[in-house]
Amino acid sequence: MTPDQVLAEFKKAGALLEGHFVLSSGLHSDVFLQKALVFRDPARTAKLCKALAAKVRKEVKAKLTAIVSPAIGGIVPGYEMARQLKVPAMYVEREEGKFRLRRGFKLSKGEPVLMVEDIVTTGLSSRECLEAIREAGGKPVAAVCLIDRSGGKAKIGVPLISLAALDIPAWPADNLPPHLKKIPAVKPGSRGLA
């Protein structure tokens, strides 16, 4: 699946939005990828994750034993990637502001884990999820996402595999371009909800 085909799936789902958005990272952007509109369609989600799983099989040499995703946005693609790769799916949630495995999820010491995200912008949630995996005893061998908004610039400490790497501009609140200053900002992301 090419990056253009991935974006076409987001467009068909009505998930490629334009306006003024505050991202989960705190940065502002004139483009928002509302992956929830993609994930509401099981066939579309399976199609995207099947393509991503094929990349994982090709690029990750370790024998994976689990998928771990950050809540909320990573739960659906994490589950579908686990289905595609035939391994268990788990997710981390924020507890007192820090990601942790909960709900009886456990990892064995040194267990090879694939971290699955939805969209990566700065990589902050990915780094926090990877740290939670390590703290639980797992060994993150790679991370994957549907779209890498950083265009390959986000450094998370393990290889990051994406279906599409886009360089979508994002700005700090105190350095907005003129066209965003004229539009009220909305915050459609999930940080702070879980």
Side-chain angles (χ1 to χ4, degrees):
M1 185 171 253
T2 67
D4 286 341
Q5 290 170 320
V6 174
L7 278 181
E9 292 296 330
F10 272 73
K11 287 177 185 173
K12 284 186 234 171
L16 186 60
L17 309 178
E18 294 182 0
H20 182 177
F21 306 98
V22 180
L23 306 176
S24 292
S25 64
L27 296 174
H28 292 239
S29 181
D30 50 10
V31 174
F32 187 76
L33 300 163
Q34 184 52 278
K35 63 268 178 184
L37 295 175
V38 172
F39 298 153
R40 73 178 174 179
D41 180 344
R44 178 171 282 125
T45 302
K47 179 180 181 179
L48 291 165
C49 289
K50 182 178 180 181
L52 190 53
K55 286 186 85 168
V56 168
R57 286 185 193 100
K58 184 178 176 184
E59 297 180 31
V60 176
K61 301 307 175 203
K63 179 169 174 34
L64 301 168
T65 59
I67 299 287
V68 175
S69 303
I72 292 177
I75 293 175
V76 172
Y79 175 84
E80 182 58 29
M81 286 294 292
R83 193 178 76 79
Q84 295 285 339
L85 296 170
K86 298 177 178 22
V87 297
M90 298 176 238
Y91 54 89
V92 295
E93 300 171 84
R94 291 195 189 279
E95 187 175 69
E96 298 177 12
K98 188 172 178 178
F99 275 141
R100 287 184 175 46
L101 282 176
R102 300 180 60 228
R103 302 180 190 269
F105 294 144
K106 296 195 182 327
L107 294 169
S108 300
K109 185 170 172 58
E111 183 173 352
V113 175
L114 179 69
M115 193 276 293
V116 177
E117 266 275 32
D118 48 8
I119 311 288
V120 170
T121 301
T122 64
L124 176 61
S125 291
S126 297
R127 288 187 298 274
E128 291 174 337
C129 184
L130 291 164
E131 182 58 30
I133 292 167
R134 288 182 194 100
E135 286 179 5
K139 179 184 177 189
V141 295
V144 298
C145 63
L146 296 178
I147 297 180
D148 175 2
R149 282 182 60 115
S150 79
K153 294 182 203 135
K155 302 300 178 211
I156 62 170
V158 296
L160 178 61
I161 301 164
S162 67
L163 280 183
L166 309 172
D167 196 0
I168 301 173
W171 301 273
D174 62 355
N175 191 25
L176 296 177
H179 73 283
L180 283 188
K181 288 180 182 176
K182 299 175 189 174
I183 306 169
V186 294
K187 187 175 182 177
S190 62
R191 185 178 294 266
L193 296 179

